[in-house]
Amino acid sequence: MKWSLSQLRKFKDNAFTFNQNIQLEDVTDRRDIFHIHDIEISGDILHSNRRFDVNLHIEADVSMIDSRSGEPVIYPLSIDTVEIFDESIESDSEIDEQDDNLHPVLHEIDLEPIVRELIIVNIPNVYTESESLPSSSNTDNWKVFGSEEELEKERPVDPRLQKLQSLFNSDETED
């Protein structure tokens, strides 16, 4: 995942395209993550003046613990980003703190540290494949609503406000 700038300058008129499967060890120290495997990195690098724009797509499978059942599950990770490498920037101190996608570059572009960071940041803290609520959470009388409309259908009207409900119904028929 390293390319020298002289190698990339040869592709000035068209994009340099890459597609690689890599293996990264010790990506994260989280205890709920077992392994990150099948990491496929693809994209292209566009060169203009002293700037290299890297369109990056990362796909990986993250083996982690299901937050409800405690069983091992596979979380499919997919990340799309554009990283910019600029030769005119000499150090990280010159980069505005709000632009995380801008990187200084001297002699080569190395995507491995960026890929590591993107994977770490995009792994969810909580993930489950279970549709049901856990049995140990004392949720016997709970109802799970999918949208506001379903919630409104199930909510009974307060008897004190029942007369006001007729006003809403008459306004709808006037339109």
Side-chain angles (χ1 to χ4, degrees):
M1 300 294 308
K2 273 186 196 181
W3 299 279
S4 70
L5 296 185
S6 61
Q7 182 182 14
L8 294 173
R9 283 191 183 102
K10 294 176 186 175
F11 295 93
K12 183 169 181 128
D13 295 331
N14 43 359
F16 171 72
T17 305
F18 59 92
N19 187 352
Q20 292 183 352
N21 291 332
I22 64 169
Q23 201 64 27
L24 296 175
E25 299 297 325
D26 301 326
V27 175
T28 181
D29 58 352
R30 286 179 40 185
R31 293 183 189 170
D32 61 334
I33 307 288
F34 298 125
H35 186 61
I36 300 171
H37 48 90
D38 297 335
I39 303 171
E40 182 178 339
I41 300 168
S42 60
D44 52 33
I45 301 174
L46 303 168
H47 174 253
S48 63
N49 294 336
R50 298 178 55 113
R51 179 176 152 159
F52 296 88
D53 295 346
V54 180
N55 297 315
L56 191 60
H57 178 72
I58 304 168
E59 297 247 346
D61 290 331
V62 180
S63 298
M64 61 189 303
I65 296 175
D66 187 297
S67 61
R68 287 190 182 160
S69 68
E71 299 294 320
V73 293
I74 303 291
Y75 174 73
L77 185 67
S78 181
I79 305 166
D80 288 307
T81 185
V82 176
E83 301 293 325
I84 300 167
F85 293 86
D86 197 338
E87 289 182 281
S88 61
I89 300 173
E90 294 185 17
S91 68
D92 287 331
S93 61
E94 292 182 25
I95 299 174
D96 185 16
E97 289 180 17
Q98 296 176 352
D99 197 358
D100 293 334
N101 296 1
L102 185 61
H103 311 280
V105 62
L106 292 176
H107 304 292
E108 65 183 9
I109 292 178
D110 185 9
L111 293 181
E112 184 178 326
I114 294 166
V115 168
R116 282 180 178 274
E117 179 182 346
L118 287 169
I119 289 173
I120 290 169
V121 169
N122 286 287
I123 295 175
N125 290 329
V126 176
Y127 176 71
T128 185
E129 291 181 347
S130 173
E131 293 292 324
S132 63
L133 295 171
S135 60
S136 64
S137 65
N138 212 6
T139 58
D140 296 335
N141 296 325
W142 287 22
K143 289 184 181 179
V144 178
F145 293 99
S147 67
E148 277 294 319
E149 294 159 0
E150 291 179 23
L151 179 62
E152 291 297 325
K153 288 178 189 175
E154 296 290 326
R155 186 182 300 164
V157 177
D158 187 344
R160 296 172 291 179
L161 302 175
Q162 190 73 34
K163 291 182 182 178
L164 294 175
Q165 184 68 32
S166 64
L167 292 174
F168 287 119
N169 293 339
S170 65
D171 286 345
E172 291 173 2
T173 56
E174 290 177 10
D175 292 335

